[in-house]
């Protein structure tokens, strides 16, 4: 089994300084899917289910971002969830370009922008997770070391 961090690591490796355009395109795509899985993790933990009416005419990715944008279970997570969705949607646009627009040139700048969006999504997830971690659990973990 793998986790989103494994996909993120691959994205970073594919987009290294000597990456050719094929590697960059693959790296952009992997960065997007790492961000998607971070968003999915957040939605499962901090969002209510999307009502059936909201699912109509939306694919699974659009449904996920809609959940993050509008169906938070807790006011304290709303802003970070919305920011996650915005970053992931920006990255999705780059992924579409990387996967479908082969006549467009993609360079290291696009790769760096993709990695930045991915890192932002992960950062928002980490912020929500940290805020949701009970203080007692943190104290127990640190006293066990």
């Amino acid at each position: 089994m793998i986790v989103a961090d494994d996909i993120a690591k691959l994205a970073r490796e594919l987009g290294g300084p000597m990456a050719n355009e094929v590697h960059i395109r693959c790296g952009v795509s992997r960065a997007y899917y790492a961000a998607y899985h971070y968003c999915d993790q957040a939605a499962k933990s901090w969002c209510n289910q999307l009502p059936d009416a909201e699912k109509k005419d939306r694919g699974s990715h659009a449904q996920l971002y809609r959940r993050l944008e509008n169906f938070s279970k807790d006011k304290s997570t709303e802003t970070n969830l919305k920011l996650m969705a915005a970053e992931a949607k920006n990255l999705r646009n780059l992924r579409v370009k990387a996967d479908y627009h082969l006549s467009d040139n993609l360079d290291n700048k696009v790769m760096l922008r993709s990695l930045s969006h991915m890192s932002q999504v992960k950062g928002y997830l980490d912020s929500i997770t940290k805020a949701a971690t009970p203080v007692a659990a943190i104290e127990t973990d640190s006293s066990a070391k």
Side-chain angles (χ1 to χ4, degrees):
M1 183 176 109
I2 67 168
V3 296
D5 286 340
D6 297 323
I7 300 169
K9 179 181 176 198
L10 176 60
R12 287 186 204 93
E13 290 169 357
L14 287 167
M18 300 303 288
N20 63 28
E21 190 170 351
V22 172
H23 287 106
I24 289 169
R25 288 175 180 274
C26 291
V28 169
S29 185
R30 292 308 88 199
Y32 172 71
Y33 281 103
Y36 171 86
H37 287 290
Y38 293 139
C39 288
D40 188 52
Q41 182 181 341
K44 287 176 180 172
S45 296
W46 294 290
C47 294
N48 292 310
Q49 290 298 316
L50 202 61
D52 287 339
E54 293 285 338
K55 293 178 184 179
K56 187 175 176 149
D57 298 325
R58 286 188 175 93
S60 60
H61 293 227
Q63 289 178 29
L64 172 61
Y65 304 134
R66 185 83 173 151
R67 278 179 77 190
L68 293 170
E69 291 166 337
N70 297 296
F71 294 93
S72 172
K73 291 179 184 177
D74 183 346
K75 281 273 194 212
S76 69
T77 63
E78 272 184 12
T79 299
N80 282 338
L81 292 171
K82 286 179 182 185
L83 290 169
M84 285 180 79
E87 292 288 341
K89 288 178 0 181
N90 286 332
L91 184 47
R92 179 184 58 195
N93 293 334
L94 295 174
R95 198 268 315 161
V96 167
K97 188 180 239 190
D99 286 345
Y100 298 110
H101 301 273
L102 301 183
S103 62
D104 293 350
N105 290 320
L106 277 95
D107 58 17
N108 235 3
K109 290 179 186 176
V110 173
M111 186 69 231
L112 291 173
R113 199 171 28 209
S114 297
L115 293 175
S116 176
H117 288 305
M118 178 189 73
S119 295
Q120 289 291 329
V121 170
K122 176 67 161 109
Y124 294 128
L125 175 62
D126 290 346
S127 292
I128 296 168
T129 302
K130 185 177 179 183
T133 304
V135 176
I138 294 171
E139 291 170 357
T140 303
D141 286 346
S142 57
S143 65
K145 292 180 183 177

